[in-house]
Amino acid sequence: MTEPALTPELIAKHGIKPDEYARILQILNREPNFTELGIFSAMWNEHCSYKSSKKWLRTLPTTGPQVICGPGENAGVVDIGDGQAVIFKMESHNHPSYIEPYQGAATGVGGILRDVFTMGARPIAAMNSLSFGQPSHPKTAHLVKGVVEGVGGYGNAFGVPTVGGEVRFHRSYNGNCLVNAFAAGLADADKIFYSVASGVGMPVVYLGAKTGRDGVGGATMASAEFDDTIEEKRPTVQVGDPFTEKRLLEASLELMASGAVISIQDMGAAGLTCSAVEMGDKGGLGIKLQLDDVPQRETQMTAYEMMLSESQERMLMVLNPELEDVARAIFVKWDLDFAIVGETIPEDRFLILHGNEVKADLPLSKLSSTAPEYDRPWVETPPAPALGPIPAIDPMDALRALIGSPSYAHKAWVWEQYDSQVGADTVVTPGLPAGVVRVHGTTKALAFTSDVTPRYVKANPFEGGKQAVAEAYRNLTAMGATPLATTDNLNFGNPEKPEIMGQLVGAIKGIGAAVAALDMPIVSGNVSLYNETDGSGILPTPTIGAVGILWSLDDLIHGQPQEGDLAVMIGTHGTHLGQSALLAEMFGMEAGDAPPVDLATEKRHGDFIRAQAKHLRCCTDLSDGGLALAAFEMAEAAGLGVMLECDDIAYLFGEDQARYLVAIDPKRLHSLTGAAQAAGVPVNVVGRFGGDTVRLGRHADPLARLSQTYREAFARALGV
């Protein structure tokens, strides 16, 4: 097959800017060929190189006594004692999920699972954070149905429990939904596998499923905005097979136990290109590949297609040659491909051979660690105007507006499609602040949550970034867990626009301040930029995935309020309505500033909750919808009514931070308030649980009627 001539149009189609192409010419001292252009395109795009965000990502706190391995590997590794580690990461599959929702979401789950088990961990939990456009938009219901089915279809078949997540709706996602997938696994702390190639002349081995044409150019597509040619991008979406992935997991763990693995890397974005280059670059080695030996499921594949295919369920490893027969036998047993496709070489060279021809010969280090890095111009987000007075409203009307909105309605339609119990170690299933999974064979457990409030980040990126971390901290704390560490998934629009770059910079600064203050270092993550359609960007959505530990399941806060229990607020009364859920759902307004986050107060209140866990029947953090929505959700889950004493709108629906709502037996109030006084923590009785009515001050509605609205609103809004 004759390779096409490199025209300016073809170069631009590969996402390479004129100045970047000039840099390629300078590096090579010649024109690249078509395959080499594809390799540069894959490695230098935003999705693989982080060229717009590297400068700012380096400012994030990534170390601590609990951190075994921070960013830079397939996933982060955190010590959980007793010689064990939790390995976790969150990653986006946004663009593929908008084009082909089922496969886009399914392969997002598959990819993040491979990131975890590539490091030697058996996956124990998955989560997802999903952002969709307005329910009335013609594509939204189709996207929601496809994405949820894709997440469930892959995770359920693979056999990992989906234990948490979030779903939101906003018009800014009409042309670009977000699908952020999280996975966590367990491994022995002294048996972690890394991707650093070592040794010259070592065999490079291809593992897993065969290579096809699906996903060719996917990483480049993920680093571009959408326009009216979106349907043409459908072939760039990968196709997943969870049953093959399950076999790959078992074969990989068996392979690792054999001692045959020198280094190993998932084939994710940019497939064979990225995995080979990253392994070689980290080890200061070159890589030679012979593509004739790559297992293929389609005929007459070109070097370009093989190097850029993102076919799923594949891995690349550097093998101990003395154990080749042992390793091969394992993969034959699991009915998976095992092929030696190259070797490590001492030169700084990425040499690709196909059909007795050299298809690419590039300096390997120039593709990865010395890829372009930009200090993009940015402007600070201007301060939001002060929020003026809002119209007088009935607090019950406000509560009905919130629970009738798909963003805040009951999400059982979503999570009931996920298997949350597979593995038999799930202790807390979706629907509470965090999912909890037992560490098998011990009395310990891990808690998992994800959070961000995008409208806060839009109004005030710094405070919004802080708040995303603080809410994740509170979610873990509300279950009695001690927060350990975080992963981030930074979803933003076009970084070449100074105002968008300013959002990214501000959010990273806020995240950095919060993870430092709350001792939750960032150990892994993903950046997803260019989330725009026809020049219109998404709300800035820096999702925080967080992991906490319960050293004993006796520390778990996991009950329900009982008849006569007191509703007690930890923290100050509500005052802040700027950027609140109430404004958005009741008035269609996004006005005012984000609520300020006092990190010292967050830490103090969190420490207090965990110290008083034995006094608390149940606990939730106060976030979207403030006290009123939190009290309703807690009561409704128990089938009880609730009475809150005040009917002031800011008191009920304000979204001030560092607050929790707890239910306690009245007999325990004295002990709780005494401890609070000693710790300098505000504690106020705000109401009582019981009966069959929800009462906000003088206003009331039957629980049964509100519950019906709450439990039916999601499916009704989307027609699913």
Side-chain angles (χ1 to χ4, degrees), residues 1 15 43 97 102 110 152 158 232 242-243 250 343 345 353 383 389 401 427 453 460-461 529 593 608 610 689 705:
M1 177 182 168
M43 292 307 303
S97 298
Y102 184 94
F158 176 84
E232 298 171 15
F243 300 105
E250 300 300 342
E343 64 177 332
I345 56 178
L353 306 174
V427 180
T453 309
N460 188 327
L529 305 180
D593 199 359
F608 175 77
R610 287 188 297 278
F689 294 96
R705 187 160 68 188

Side-chain angles (χ1 to χ4, degrees), residues 230-306:
I230 185 172
E231 287 303 315
E232 298 171 15
K233 295 179 170 62
R234 192 171 300 277
T236 62
V237 179
Q238 312 94 319
V239 178
D241 178 354
F243 300 105
T244 299
E245 179 108 334
K246 173 64 173 171
R247 299 202 317 274
L248 183 60
L249 162 69
E250 300 300 342
S252 298
L253 295 182
E254 192 173 334
L255 178 74
M256 290 164 177
S258 76
V261 177
I262 292 175
S263 64
I264 191 162
Q265 173 81 23
D266 163 43
M267 279 197 229
L272 190 53
T273 289
C274 192
S275 54
V277 168
E278 289 192 356
M279 287 173 79
D281 187 56
K282 287 174 184 174
L285 295 169
I287 300 279
K288 180 170 84 172
L289 296 179
Q290 174 51 263
L291 298 186
D292 299 292
D293 297 326
V294 169
Q296 299 160 54
R297 67 166 185 262
E298 299 185 50
T299 58
Q300 296 183 310
M301 288 190 72
T302 65
Y304 178 95
E305 289 169 333
M306 277 189 271

Side-chain angles (χ1 to χ4, degrees), residues 272-348:
L272 190 53
T273 289
C274 192
S275 54
V277 168
E278 289 192 356
M279 287 173 79
D281 187 56
K282 287 174 184 174
L285 295 169
I287 300 279
K288 180 170 84 172
L289 296 179
Q290 174 51 263
L291 298 186
D292 299 292
D293 297 326
V294 169
Q296 299 160 54
R297 67 166 185 262
E298 299 185 50
T299 58
Q300 296 183 310
M301 288 190 72
T302 65
Y304 178 95
E305 289 169 333
M306 277 189 271
M307 292 307 297
L308 298 188
S309 167
E310 294 185 6
S311 294
Q312 296 292 287
E313 292 84 45
R314 303 180 302 158
M315 291 156 77
L316 199 67
M317 79 160 175
V318 176
L319 169 72
N320 178 347
E322 296 174 4
L323 293 171
E324 179 187 336
D325 290 344
V326 172
R328 187 184 299 276
I330 291 168
F331 274 74
V332 168
K333 180 181 81 170
W334 287 100
D335 193 23
L336 292 164
D337 278 292
F338 177 101
I340 295 177
V341 296
E343 64 177 332
T344 58
I345 56 178
E347 304 89 3
D348 178 19

Side-chain angles (χ1 to χ4, degrees), residues 515-528:
V515 299
L518 300 175
D519 193 22
M520 299 169 70
I522 297 274
V523 297
S524 58
N526 173 240
V527 178
S528 175

Side-chain angles (χ1 to χ4, degrees), residues 441-461:
T442 75
T443 59
K444 296 183 296 190
L446 291 164
F448 304 99
T449 190
S450 71
D451 253 299
V452 64
T453 309
R455 62 182 183 276
Y456 292 173
V457 188
K458 175 82 180 292
N460 188 327

Side-chain angles (χ1 to χ4, degrees), residues 175-198:
N176 197 131
C177 65
L178 302 183
V179 175
N180 294 174
F182 170 99
L186 283 176
D188 291 340
D190 61 351
K191 294 175 185 169
I192 309 299
F193 287 82
Y194 299 100
S195 61
V196 180
S198 64

